[in-house]
Amino acid sequence: MAVDFLQPGVQAAPFEEEQATFSWADQYQKLSYAGLIGLVALLIYSYWDMLTYVAEFWEKDQYSHGYIIPLIALYLMWSRRPNPTAQEPPRGQAEETFFGLMPASLFGKSVAGAGAAITGLGWQMQNYPLEGIGWAILCLGGLAYVMIGQPFSKVGDATRYAGLGIVLLGFAARFVAGEYEIEPINRYSFLICLFGVVVLVGGWRLAAWAGPAVGFLFFMYPLPSMIERPLLMNMQLIAAVFSEIALVILGQPVVRQGAVINVDGIPLEVATACSGMRMLTIFIGLSVALVLLMKRPWWDRFTILLTAIPIAIFVNVIRIVLISLTYRVTENEVVREVMHNQGGLSMIFFAMGLLYLLQALLDRLTVAEDGIDGQPMGVGPLAT
Protein backbone atom coordinates (compact mmCIF):
# COMPACT_ATOMS: atom_id res chain seq x y z
CA MET A 1 0.00 0.00 0.00
CA ALA A 2 1.45 3.31 -1.02
CA VAL A 3 2.31 5.87 1.61
CA ASP A 4 0.06 8.91 1.36
CA PHE A 5 2.71 11.61 1.08
CA LEU A 6 2.17 15.29 0.75
CA GLN A 7 1.91 15.97 -2.96
CA PRO A 8 3.85 18.87 -4.56
CA GLY A 9 1.76 21.94 -5.05
CA VAL A 10 0.05 21.90 -1.62
CA GLN A 11 0.14 25.52 -0.54
CA ALA A 12 -0.03 27.12 2.83
CA ALA A 13 -3.00 29.20 3.78
CA PRO A 14 -2.42 32.91 3.14
CA PHE A 15 -0.28 34.73 5.66
CA GLU A 16 0.02 37.98 3.73
CA GLU A 17 -2.64 40.08 2.09
CA GLU A 18 -1.22 39.66 -1.42
CA GLN A 19 -0.68 36.31 -3.18
CA ALA A 20 2.27 36.87 -5.54
CA THR A 21 3.40 35.13 -8.68
CA PHE A 22 7.05 34.66 -9.57
CA SER A 23 8.72 36.42 -12.49
CA TRP A 24 12.31 37.50 -13.08
CA ALA A 25 10.86 40.64 -14.67
CA ASP A 26 9.37 41.53 -11.28
CA GLN A 27 12.10 43.46 -9.44
CA TYR A 28 10.64 42.58 -6.04
CA GLN A 29 10.70 38.85 -6.82
CA LYS A 30 14.24 39.02 -8.20
CA LEU A 31 15.59 40.99 -5.23
CA SER A 32 13.82 38.72 -2.73
CA TYR A 33 15.31 35.63 -4.36
CA ALA A 34 18.82 37.12 -4.47
CA GLY A 35 18.42 38.48 -0.94
CA LEU A 36 17.46 35.10 0.50
CA ILE A 37 20.32 33.23 -1.16
CA GLY A 38 22.79 35.98 -0.33
CA LEU A 39 21.82 36.24 3.34
CA VAL A 40 21.96 32.45 3.77
CA ALA A 41 25.43 32.47 2.17
CA LEU A 42 26.54 35.20 4.60
CA LEU A 43 25.09 33.23 7.48
CA ILE A 44 27.02 30.11 6.46
CA TYR A 45 30.20 32.22 6.23
CA SER A 46 29.56 33.73 9.66
CA TYR A 47 29.04 30.30 11.22
CA TRP A 48 31.78 28.54 9.24
CA ASP A 49 33.87 27.82 12.35
CA MET A 50 30.88 26.21 14.07
CA LEU A 51 29.96 24.17 10.99
CA THR A 52 33.51 22.85 10.54
CA TYR A 53 33.58 21.91 14.23
CA VAL A 54 30.29 20.04 13.89
CA ALA A 55 31.61 18.29 10.75
CA GLU A 56 34.33 16.70 12.91
CA PHE A 57 31.58 14.77 14.69
CA TRP A 58 30.28 13.55 11.34
CA GLU A 59 33.53 11.65 10.88
CA LYS A 60 32.51 9.43 13.80
CA ASP A 61 30.12 6.51 13.43
CA GLN A 62 27.74 7.93 16.00
CA TYR A 63 26.89 11.00 13.91
CA SER A 64 27.96 9.99 10.41
CA HIS A 65 24.40 10.68 9.22
CA GLY A 66 25.02 14.40 9.74
CA TYR A 67 26.23 14.80 6.16
CA ILE A 68 22.88 13.87 4.64
CA ILE A 69 20.65 15.92 6.97
CA PRO A 70 20.96 19.17 4.93
CA LEU A 71 20.10 17.20 1.77
CA ILE A 72 17.00 15.71 3.43
CA ALA A 73 16.04 19.21 4.58
CA LEU A 74 16.31 20.42 0.97
CA TYR A 75 14.09 17.52 -0.11
CA LEU A 76 11.52 18.58 2.49
CA MET A 77 11.51 22.06 0.99
CA TRP A 78 11.28 20.59 -2.50
CA SER A 79 8.28 18.45 -1.57
CA ARG A 80 6.46 21.33 0.10
CA ARG A 81 7.21 24.09 -2.44
CA PRO A 82 4.06 25.91 -3.58
CA ASN A 83 4.99 26.14 -7.27
CA PRO A 84 6.31 22.74 -8.47
CA THR A 85 5.64 23.61 -12.10
CA ALA A 86 8.64 25.97 -12.11
CA GLN A 87 11.09 23.06 -12.37
CA GLU A 88 8.58 20.45 -13.56
CA PRO A 89 6.29 22.25 -16.04
CA PRO A 90 3.35 20.55 -17.77
CA ARG A 91 4.09 19.16 -21.21
CA GLY A 92 4.45 21.87 -23.80
CA GLN A 93 5.45 24.59 -21.31
CA ALA A 94 8.97 25.87 -20.73
CA GLU A 95 10.60 25.41 -17.35
CA GLU A 96 11.69 28.36 -15.26
CA THR A 97 15.21 29.72 -15.66
CA PHE A 98 17.92 30.83 -13.27
CA PHE A 99 17.91 34.64 -13.62
CA GLY A 100 17.08 34.13 -17.31
CA LEU A 101 20.60 32.77 -17.88
CA MET A 102 19.97 29.02 -18.08
CA PRO A 103 17.13 26.50 -17.57
CA ALA A 104 16.52 25.53 -13.95
CA SER A 105 17.38 21.88 -14.63
CA LEU A 106 20.76 22.83 -16.18
CA PHE A 107 21.51 25.07 -13.20
CA GLY A 108 20.66 22.25 -10.80
CA LYS A 109 22.88 19.77 -12.61
CA SER A 110 25.74 22.28 -12.80
CA VAL A 111 25.60 23.04 -9.09
CA ALA A 112 25.30 19.37 -8.13
CA GLY A 113 28.21 18.44 -10.39
CA ALA A 114 30.47 21.24 -9.17
CA GLY A 115 29.66 20.64 -5.51
CA ALA A 116 30.12 16.87 -5.79
CA ALA A 117 33.40 17.29 -7.70
CA ILE A 118 34.88 19.72 -5.16
CA THR A 119 33.67 17.59 -2.25
CA GLY A 120 35.13 14.44 -3.80
CA LEU A 121 38.44 16.17 -4.55
CA GLY A 122 38.67 17.45 -0.99
CA TRP A 123 37.89 13.99 0.38
CA GLN A 124 40.47 12.36 -1.89
CA MET A 125 43.16 14.87 -0.90
CA GLN A 126 42.04 14.77 2.76
CA ASN A 127 41.66 18.53 2.47
CA TYR A 128 38.77 19.14 4.86
CA PRO A 129 38.34 22.88 4.13
CA LEU A 130 38.01 22.10 0.41
CA GLU A 131 35.58 19.29 1.18
CA GLY A 132 33.54 21.69 3.32
CA ILE A 133 33.43 24.28 0.54
CA GLY A 134 32.14 21.64 -1.87
CA TRP A 135 29.45 20.62 0.61
CA ALA A 136 28.47 24.27 1.12
CA ILE A 137 28.15 24.68 -2.66
CA LEU A 138 25.90 21.61 -2.79
CA CYS A 139 23.63 22.88 -0.03
CA LEU A 140 23.52 26.55 -1.04
CA GLY A 141 23.12 25.65 -4.72
CA GLY A 142 20.39 23.18 -3.78
CA LEU A 143 18.56 25.95 -1.94
CA ALA A 144 18.92 28.24 -4.96
CA TYR A 145 17.52 25.51 -7.21
CA VAL A 146 14.54 24.74 -4.97
CA MET A 147 13.66 28.44 -4.70
CA ILE A 148 13.61 29.03 -8.46
CA GLY A 149 10.09 30.06 -9.43
CA GLN A 150 8.74 30.10 -5.88
CA PRO A 151 6.73 33.30 -5.31
CA PHE A 152 7.68 35.87 -2.67
CA SER A 153 4.66 37.67 -1.25
CA LYS A 154 4.83 41.30 -0.22
CA VAL A 155 6.10 41.43 3.35
CA GLY A 156 4.87 44.12 5.71
CA ASP A 157 7.08 46.19 8.00
CA ALA A 158 5.90 44.35 11.12
CA THR A 159 6.93 41.01 9.62
CA ARG A 160 10.28 42.43 8.49
CA TYR A 161 10.98 43.65 12.00
CA ALA A 162 9.93 40.29 13.41
CA GLY A 163 12.37 38.50 11.10
CA LEU A 164 15.15 40.94 11.96
CA GLY A 165 14.41 40.47 15.65
CA ILE A 166 14.68 36.68 15.30
CA VAL A 167 18.05 37.08 13.55
CA LEU A 168 19.33 39.41 16.27
CA LEU A 169 18.07 36.98 18.92
CA GLY A 170 20.09 34.21 17.26
CA PHE A 171 23.27 36.30 17.21
CA ALA A 172 22.68 37.35 20.82
CA ALA A 173 22.43 33.68 21.77
CA ARG A 174 25.69 33.07 19.91
CA PHE A 175 27.39 35.89 21.78
CA VAL A 176 26.26 34.45 25.12
CA ALA A 177 27.41 30.97 24.02
CA GLY A 178 30.86 32.32 23.16
CA GLU A 179 31.10 34.34 26.37
CA TYR A 180 30.27 31.36 28.59
CA GLU A 181 31.64 28.61 26.27
CA ILE A 182 28.29 26.87 25.76
CA GLU A 183 28.80 25.24 22.39
CA PRO A 184 25.30 23.67 22.00
CA ILE A 185 23.70 27.13 22.18
CA ASN A 186 26.13 28.32 19.52
CA ARG A 187 24.98 25.51 17.21
CA TYR A 188 21.28 26.06 17.73
CA SER A 189 21.61 29.82 17.30
CA PHE A 190 22.39 29.11 13.63
CA LEU A 191 18.91 27.63 13.20
CA ILE A 192 17.35 30.66 14.92
CA CYS A 193 19.19 33.03 12.57
CA LEU A 194 18.31 30.93 9.53
CA PHE A 195 14.62 30.96 10.41
CA GLY A 196 14.84 34.69 11.02
CA VAL A 197 16.27 35.20 7.52
CA VAL A 198 13.38 33.20 6.05
CA VAL A 199 10.83 35.40 7.84
CA LEU A 200 12.75 38.60 7.04
CA VAL A 201 12.83 37.95 3.29
CA GLY A 202 9.72 35.87 2.61
CA GLY A 203 7.46 36.53 5.57
CA TRP A 204 5.27 33.97 7.29
CA ARG A 205 4.09 32.51 3.98
CA LEU A 206 7.62 31.35 3.12
CA ALA A 207 8.19 30.25 6.74
CA ALA A 208 5.07 28.03 6.52
CA TRP A 209 6.55 25.70 3.93
CA ALA A 210 10.30 26.25 4.42
CA GLY A 211 10.34 26.49 8.23
CA PRO A 212 9.99 22.73 8.92
CA ALA A 213 13.08 22.09 6.76
CA VAL A 214 15.02 24.64 8.83
CA GLY A 215 13.93 22.91 12.04
CA PHE A 216 14.92 19.53 10.62
CA LEU A 217 18.56 20.71 10.52
CA PHE A 218 18.52 20.15 14.29
CA PHE A 219 19.35 16.50 13.58
CA MET A 220 22.70 17.36 11.98
CA TYR A 221 24.07 18.38 15.38
CA PRO A 222 25.56 16.03 17.98
CA LEU A 223 23.67 15.83 21.23
CA PRO A 224 25.00 17.99 24.09
CA SER A 225 27.42 15.95 26.19
CA MET A 226 25.29 16.40 29.34
CA ILE A 227 22.49 14.54 27.52
CA GLU A 228 24.58 12.17 25.43
CA ARG A 229 26.62 10.56 28.24
CA PRO A 230 23.78 9.39 30.52
CA LEU A 231 21.71 8.45 27.46
CA LEU A 232 24.55 6.31 26.10
CA MET A 233 24.92 4.47 29.41
CA ASN A 234 21.19 3.80 29.65
CA MET A 235 20.99 2.72 26.01
CA GLN A 236 23.88 0.27 26.56
CA LEU A 237 22.13 -1.28 29.55
CA ILE A 238 18.74 -1.42 27.80
CA ALA A 239 20.29 -3.08 24.73
CA ALA A 240 22.12 -5.62 26.89
CA VAL A 241 19.06 -6.49 29.02
CA PHE A 242 16.68 -6.99 26.12
CA SER A 243 19.29 -8.91 24.14
CA GLU A 244 19.73 -11.24 27.10
CA ILE A 245 15.96 -11.78 27.25
CA ALA A 246 15.81 -12.53 23.52
CA LEU A 247 18.71 -15.00 23.72
CA VAL A 248 17.10 -16.78 26.68
CA ILE A 249 13.86 -17.10 24.70
CA LEU A 250 15.88 -18.61 21.86
CA GLY A 251 17.29 -21.17 24.27
CA GLN A 252 20.85 -19.88 24.31
CA PRO A 253 23.11 -20.27 27.37
CA VAL A 254 23.64 -16.63 28.28
CA VAL A 255 24.87 -14.77 31.35
CA ARG A 256 24.90 -10.99 31.52
CA GLN A 257 27.10 -8.81 33.70
CA GLY A 258 26.27 -5.16 33.18
CA ALA A 259 26.73 -4.43 29.47
CA VAL A 260 28.67 -7.65 28.82
CA ILE A 261 26.77 -10.65 27.45
CA ASN A 262 28.44 -14.04 27.84
CA VAL A 263 26.98 -16.51 25.32
CA ASP A 264 28.25 -20.06 25.91
CA GLY A 265 31.59 -18.76 27.18
CA ILE A 266 31.97 -16.09 24.50
CA PRO A 267 31.98 -12.63 26.11
CA LEU A 268 30.42 -9.90 23.97
CA GLU A 269 30.40 -6.34 25.24
CA VAL A 270 27.61 -4.01 24.19
CA ALA A 271 29.96 -1.10 23.56
CA THR A 272 28.90 2.50 23.06
CA ALA A 273 28.94 1.95 19.29
CA CYS A 274 26.45 -0.92 19.74
CA SER A 275 24.24 0.87 22.25
CA GLY A 276 21.75 1.85 19.58
CA MET A 277 22.36 5.59 19.88
CA ARG A 278 23.35 5.80 16.22
CA MET A 279 20.24 3.92 15.15
CA LEU A 280 18.11 6.04 17.48
CA THR A 281 19.36 9.41 16.20
CA ILE A 282 19.14 8.40 12.52
CA PHE A 283 15.76 6.75 12.84
CA ILE A 284 14.13 9.56 14.80
CA GLY A 285 15.36 11.98 12.15
CA LEU A 286 13.90 9.85 9.35
CA SER A 287 10.63 9.47 11.28
CA VAL A 288 10.33 13.23 11.67
CA ALA A 289 11.00 13.67 7.93
CA LEU A 290 8.28 11.11 7.17
CA VAL A 291 5.82 12.87 9.45
CA LEU A 292 6.52 16.20 7.75
CA LEU A 293 5.88 14.62 4.35
CA MET A 294 2.79 12.62 5.26
CA LYS A 295 -0.69 13.84 4.50
CA ARG A 296 -2.42 11.99 7.30
CA PRO A 297 -4.41 12.86 10.46
CA TRP A 298 -2.43 14.20 13.38
CA TRP A 299 -2.93 11.00 15.40
CA ASP A 300 -1.25 8.93 12.68
CA ARG A 301 1.73 11.26 12.63
CA PHE A 302 1.91 11.26 16.43
CA THR A 303 1.78 7.44 16.51
CA ILE A 304 4.72 7.22 14.10
CA LEU A 305 6.77 9.63 16.21
CA LEU A 306 5.81 7.75 19.38
CA THR A 307 6.92 4.38 17.98
CA ALA A 308 10.23 5.62 16.54
CA ILE A 309 12.17 4.99 19.77
CA PRO A 310 10.76 1.46 20.47
CA ILE A 311 11.41 0.43 16.85
CA ALA A 312 14.99 1.71 17.01
CA ILE A 313 15.63 -0.20 20.26
CA PHE A 314 13.95 -3.35 18.89
CA VAL A 315 16.03 -3.31 15.71
CA ASN A 316 19.27 -2.77 17.63
CA VAL A 317 18.45 -5.72 19.91
CA ILE A 318 17.91 -7.90 16.84
CA ARG A 319 21.32 -6.83 15.57
CA ILE A 320 23.03 -7.74 18.86
CA VAL A 321 21.26 -11.11 18.98
CA LEU A 322 22.29 -11.93 15.40
CA ILE A 323 25.90 -10.96 16.18
CA SER A 324 25.83 -13.15 19.31
CA LEU A 325 24.50 -16.13 17.35
CA THR A 326 27.06 -15.55 14.58
CA TYR A 327 29.92 -15.56 17.08
CA ARG A 328 28.60 -18.80 18.55
CA VAL A 329 28.11 -20.78 15.34
CA THR A 330 31.27 -19.73 13.48
CA GLU A 331 34.87 -18.86 14.24
CA ASN A 332 35.44 -17.32 10.82
CA GLU A 333 36.75 -13.84 11.53
CA VAL A 334 35.69 -12.49 8.14
CA VAL A 335 32.08 -13.55 8.70
CA ARG A 336 32.12 -12.15 12.22
CA GLU A 337 33.58 -8.84 11.07
CA VAL A 338 31.10 -8.47 8.21
CA MET A 339 28.18 -9.23 10.52
CA HIS A 340 29.43 -6.79 13.15
CA ASN A 341 30.36 -3.92 10.84
CA GLN A 342 27.74 -4.20 8.11
CA GLY A 343 24.85 -5.39 10.25
CA GLY A 344 24.16 -1.89 11.52
CA LEU A 345 23.72 -0.51 8.01
CA SER A 346 21.24 -3.21 7.03
CA MET A 347 19.22 -2.67 10.20
CA ILE A 348 18.21 0.85 9.18
CA PHE A 349 16.43 -0.61 6.14
CA PHE A 350 14.73 -3.14 8.39
CA ALA A 351 13.61 -0.33 10.70
CA MET A 352 12.23 1.65 7.77
CA GLY A 353 10.37 -1.47 6.65
CA LEU A 354 8.74 -1.73 10.08
CA LEU A 355 7.81 1.94 9.87
CA TYR A 356 6.24 1.36 6.46
CA LEU A 357 4.21 -1.57 7.82
CA LEU A 358 3.05 0.61 10.71
CA GLN A 359 1.96 3.32 8.28
CA ALA A 360 0.13 0.76 6.14
CA LEU A 361 -1.65 -0.56 9.26
CA LEU A 362 -2.66 2.96 10.31
CA ASP A 363 -3.85 3.59 6.76
CA ARG A 364 -6.30 0.73 7.16
CA LEU A 365 -7.39 1.60 10.69
CA THR A 366 -7.91 5.34 10.26
CA VAL A 367 -9.45 7.57 7.63
CA ALA A 368 -8.10 11.03 6.85
CA GLU A 369 -10.65 13.79 7.36
CA ASP A 370 -9.96 16.18 4.50
CA GLY A 371 -9.97 19.78 5.55
CA ILE A 372 -9.84 18.92 9.26
CA ASP A 373 -6.89 16.73 10.18
CA GLY A 374 -5.59 15.82 6.76
CA GLN A 375 -3.31 18.85 6.49
CA PRO A 376 0.45 18.31 6.66
CA MET A 377 2.27 19.61 9.68
CA GLY A 378 3.28 23.23 9.44
CA VAL A 379 0.61 24.05 6.85
CA GLY A 380 -2.61 25.60 7.99
CA PRO A 381 -4.27 28.85 8.90
CA LEU A 382 -2.36 31.05 11.33
CA ALA A 383 -3.05 34.55 12.45
CA THR A 384 -0.82 37.30 11.10
Side-chain angles (χ1 to χ4, degrees):
M1 181 175 296
V3 178
D4 188 14
F5 285 115
L6 167 65
Q7 298 300 318
V10 176
Q11 298 188 15
F15 291 89
E16 310 292 342
E17 294 182 359
E18 180 180 344
Q19 171 65 52
T21 55
F22 186 87
S23 171
W24 292 117
D26 185 337
Q27 196 70 3
Y28 182 86
Q29 297 290 318
K30 183 187 293 186
L31 290 176
S32 296
Y33 177 90
L36 179 65
I37 305 304
L39 287 175
V40 172
L42 286 174
L43 201 58
I44 291 175
Y45 176 77
S46 175
Y47 277 86
W48 189 254
D49 57 340
M50 181 276 293
L51 294 172
T52 53
Y53 175 71
V54 169
E56 294 178 7
F57 288 87
W58 298 347
E59 299 296 327
K60 305 174 183 178
D61 289 341
Q62 193 70 35
Y63 296 105
S64 59
H65 63 281
Y67 282 106
I68 67 171
I69 295 299
L71 301 183
I72 297 177
L74 286 173
Y75 179 74
L76 289 175
M77 286 188 65
W78 171 266
S79 301
R80 298 169 61 88
R81 70 198 193 283
N83 181 24
T85 59
Q87 299 94 343
E88 300 173 343
R91 181 175 298 180
Q93 295 185 18
E95 66 176 317
E96 187 58 79
T97 64
F98 175 69
F99 279 103
L101 301 176
M102 65 179 75
S105 57
L106 179 59
F107 171 77
K109 292 175 183 177
S110 301
V111 167
I118 295 173
T119 301
L121 181 63
W123 179 77
Q124 186 69 25
M125 298 172 58
Q126 295 188 343
N127 186 325
Y128 297 117
L130 184 62
E131 185 179 351
I133 291 173
W135 205 250
I137 291 174
L138 271 176
C139 296
L140 193 60
L143 175 64
Y145 175 64
V146 171
M147 292 303 303
I148 290 177
Q150 306 312 313
F152 289 87
S153 299
K154 295 289 185 180
V155 179
D157 290 341
T159 304
R160 296 278 194 207
Y161 285 126
L164 179 60
I166 295 172
V167 173
L168 294 177
L169 176 64
F171 277 111
R174 191 181 194 200
F175 174 78
V176 171
E179 191 72 16
Y180 294 96
E181 298 183 353
I182 311 175
E183 182 56 32
I185 294 181
N186 183 30
R187 301 169 197 164
Y188 302 137
S189 69
F190 174 75
L191 303 184
I192 298 174
C193 290
L194 188 57
F195 182 75
V197 166
V198 169
V199 176
L200 176 65
V201 177
W204 300 113
R205 182 183 294 275
L206 176 59
W209 65 269
V214 174
F216 186 76
L217 293 175
F218 170 85
F219 292 101
M220 74 178 180
Y221 295 134
L223 291 173
S225 56
M226 62 180 298
I227 297 177
E228 182 185 49
R229 288 171 186 168
L231 188 58
L232 266 175
M233 294 178 61
N234 288 325
M235 289 292 293
Q236 277 181 276
L237 186 59
I238 289 172
V241 169
F242 280 99
S243 297
E244 177 192 20
I245 294 173
L247 288 168
V248 169
I249 293 174
L250 293 174
Q252 301 300 310
V254 56
V255 177
R256 180 183 62 84
Q257 292 182 328
V260 178
I261 301 175
N262 193 303
V263 185
D264 196 20
I266 304 173
L268 297 170
E269 180 183 2
V270 180
T272 54
C274 299
S275 64
M277 269 288 292
R278 183 185 183 188
M279 170 66 71
L280 185 65
T281 51
I282 295 175
F283 193 61
I284 289 180
L286 291 175
S287 300
V288 171
L290 177 61
V291 163
L292 290 173
L293 289 169
M294 286 179 66
K295 189 180 178 183
R296 296 293 301 164
W298 69 266
W299 53 82
D300 282 10
R301 300 196 296 265
F302 179 72
T303 301
I304 286 178
L305 285 179
L306 200 63
T307 55
I309 294 177
I311 289 177
I313 293 174
F314 173 71
V315 168
N316 188 56
V317 168
I318 290 178
R319 179 196 175 209
I320 295 173
V321 169
L322 291 177
I323 291 174
S324 302
L325 295 177
T326 301
Y327 270 67
R328 191 181 179 203
V329 300
T330 180
E331 295 182 358
N332 189 308
E333 290 299 327
V334 175
V335 175
R336 289 182 173 185
E337 185 176 353
V338 168
M339 186 61 201
H340 184 274
N341 296 337
Q342 304 303 322
L345 180 62
S346 61
M347 286 295 105
I348 189 65
F349 297 105
F350 179 52
M352 290 303 296
L354 291 177
L355 199 61
Y356 176 82
L357 292 176
L358 173 62
Q359 194 280 331
L361 177 62
L362 291 173
D363 197 37
R364 289 182 176 275
L365 294 178
T366 61
V367 177
E369 299 181 37
D370 294 334
I372 300 177
D373 294 301
Q375 294 179 337
M377 290 182 69
V379 179
L382 294 178
T384 21

